[in-house]
Amino acid sequence: MTVRTRFAPSPTGSLHIGGARTAIFNWLFAHHAGGSFVLRIEDTDQTRSTQESIDEILDAMEWLGLNWDEGPLRQSERLPIYREHAEKLLESGSAYKCYVTPEELQEKRKEAQERGGVFRYNRKWAEENAGPDKPYAIRLLTPDEGTIEVDDALRGRVSFDASEVDDFVILKMDGFPTYNFAVVIDDATMNITHIIRGDDHLINTPRQKLIYDALSYDVPQMAHVSMILGSDQKRLSKRHGATSVTEYRAEGYLPEAVVNYLTRLGWSYGNQEIFTMDELVEKFTLKNVGKSAAVFNPEKLEWLNSWYLRNKPPEEIAGLLVPLLKEKGIHAEVDEKLAKIVKELSQRAKTLNDIADSLNYFYSDEIIYDEKADEKFLTHEILPVLQDITRRLTSLEDFTMDSMKEEFEKVMEERELKLGKIAQPVRVALTGGTVSPGIFEVMDILGRDKVLERLEEASSHISAK
RNA sequence: GGCCCCUUCGUCUAGCCUGGCCUAGGACGUAGCCCUCUCAAGGCUAAAACACGGGUUCGAAUCCCGUAGGGGCUACCA
């Protein structure tokens, strides 16, 4: 039997970090086994599902590299299938029509709570409101006693008391299936073999098991992965910061970093931290997935992102950067210059945005001196040194890093100055600030004309002080 | 409240199944030092954990039982 996994988000928002990890696990598991990965949209909640959410989720999946082999299937387009199965259960006596309205149930639930008791649906109410044209929901007839056992790949056998499960609705009055019903029908008819999903669904499995049994379908292998928590150990939510894949993309994270981080959150492979997608596919097994909840740690994601930035070919990063720069009004293209810039700046950045934010001086015609830097380094004391350097560079035949270095060394020797003394003022003159790649690299990228122009500008700026 | 799940450094985790190799390993973060033209990167070092209490055993992070804490669910939401 070939492995088939699925990811089944409900389109009520963007792709959440937790959902993304579930998707990644399912994707990896399927690919590891040479099986297929199915995408299904659970849009049976008519009031909360939106097309925008669907688009955003699909977009985020593609960005992460999680391609699907089938789908996206939509539950809202499969209504007849659910109805058909519900009818079948009605015929076999495993389910029955219930005429109690949601409002009445709400009422009874409230009463029970006020009395301090536990609300439990009573089968006898089912027929009470019956009438020829009355709308009805369909409920599953569930056992009153015994235990319902579920085998989980991560947690072993989990058993529930049948008395905890009352006759629940499988088909709503509006003709839509409830979550538990739709999930089972879909997973069964799509021949899903392994269900990897969040811990929050563990409690649903006894209900689902009952449906599988009533329909004589095999129960897939379940694996309930723990949730991702925020720094306060509470379920990760907006107040913990960015929680959607889309936000991380906008902040300049690389998909490989996000995938790597999310996979390592709850899964491990010895002491290894960095994995390529191929390695992940090769090494991912459920056996190495942990059982306890994991706190989302933005610093570690940031570190991983910076690692990928440092190790990815500069040309590729340059390609990702161009659109970002365009938004900032910098019209760069993927050329030798940008590749050189990226090579230097990616060593010092945490995100793509960091790079985009710190290369202005390579493209602008005018540089603005940082006030403090100006005050500290562009001094009358250094003026002769700057002029000396300008003179030497002007007469330099080939403007290479080596030859520039030679000239700097001569100045250092003659004036008995350390490189630091000279490099900082030059850096301020060329970039406007005190932080940049190595000074020779900067000069090399800027090119002869700009370097000389800016050095002269700095000199006259000092003289005018 | 009831039911279910979980519990190793601040965080992600290795080790747990198949007790001794654990003086509990790695990574992020933090601190210090080195390197150094700034900032990074890199190198070295440090502080930092078996939730608690009972068993079982020659021996327990590892097995058993309790307790505590955390999380989840408790819908005609998914």
Side-chain angles (χ1 to χ4, degrees), chain A residues 236-271:
Chain A
L236 191 66
S237 70
K238 286 111 244 138
R239 65 201 163 78
H240 294 110
T243 52
S244 74
V245 171
T246 313
E247 285 172 273
Y248 282 95
R249 165 156 58 166
E251 285 177 21
Y253 284 83
L254 263 16
E256 45 269 66
V258 174
V259 169
N260 194 150
Y261 177 72
L262 253 21
T263 308
R264 257 305 265 103
L265 201 58
W267 174 84
S268 62
Y269 191 82
N271 286 334

Side-chain angles (χ1 to χ4, degrees), chain A residues 329-368:
Chain A
I330 299 173
H331 294 278
E333 47 188 300
V334 185
D335 54 11
E336 202 189 336
K337 179 182 176 186
L338 187 56
K340 273 186 179 176
I341 293 171
V342 168
K343 182 169 175 282
E344 295 304 322
L345 290 179
S346 59
Q347 306 302 311
R348 328 171 132 71
K350 303 268 191 216
T351 64
L352 285 172
N353 294 8
D354 283 350
I355 302 179
D357 288 340
S358 54
L359 50 58
N360 210 28
Y361 56 83
F362 284 119
Y363 287 94
S364 62
D365 290 326
E366 211 180 339
I367 59 155
I368 301 139

Side-chain angles (χ1 to χ4, degrees), chain A residues 452-465:
Chain A
L452 296 177
E453 185 188 310
R454 286 181 189 182
L455 283 174
E456 275 157 20
E457 236 175 69
S459 291
S460 44
H461 171 74
I462 296 172
S463 305
K465 273 186 179 179

Side-chain angles (χ1 to χ4, degrees), chain A residues 388-406:
Chain A
D388 189 4
I389 287 192
T390 312
R391 207 160 36 239
R392 285 168 184 276
L393 292 180
T394 307
S395 54
L396 208 55
E397 279 190 22
D398 51 334
F399 206 76
T400 62
M401 285 207 275
D402 283 341
S403 56
M404 287 188 272
K405 240 176 241 173
E406 272 176 43

Side-chain angles (χ1 to χ4, degrees), chain A residues 104-165:
Chain A
E104 285 173 87
L105 287 170
Q106 194 65 262
E107 194 72 13
K108 290 184 197 266
R109 192 171 287 119
K110 224 174 99 188
E111 278 173 33
Q113 272 170 0
E114 277 164 12
R115 274 186 283 114
V118 181
F119 173 79
R120 189 144 284 146
Y121 175 78
N122 186 329
R123 201 167 288 153
K124 294 194 187 88
W125 302 333
E127 294 288 334
E128 274 176 12
N129 298 20
D133 298 320
K134 279 280 189 111
Y136 60 87
I138 299 178
R139 284 180 187 269
L140 191 76
L141 186 65
T142 64
D144 295 326
E145 49 192 32
T147 54
I148 307 165
E149 291 186 327
V150 179
D151 287 310
D152 187 279
L154 263 33
R155 297 162 205 285
R157 176 162 294 184
V158 184
S159 55
F160 300 84
D161 204 340
S163 63
E164 291 292 326
V165 180

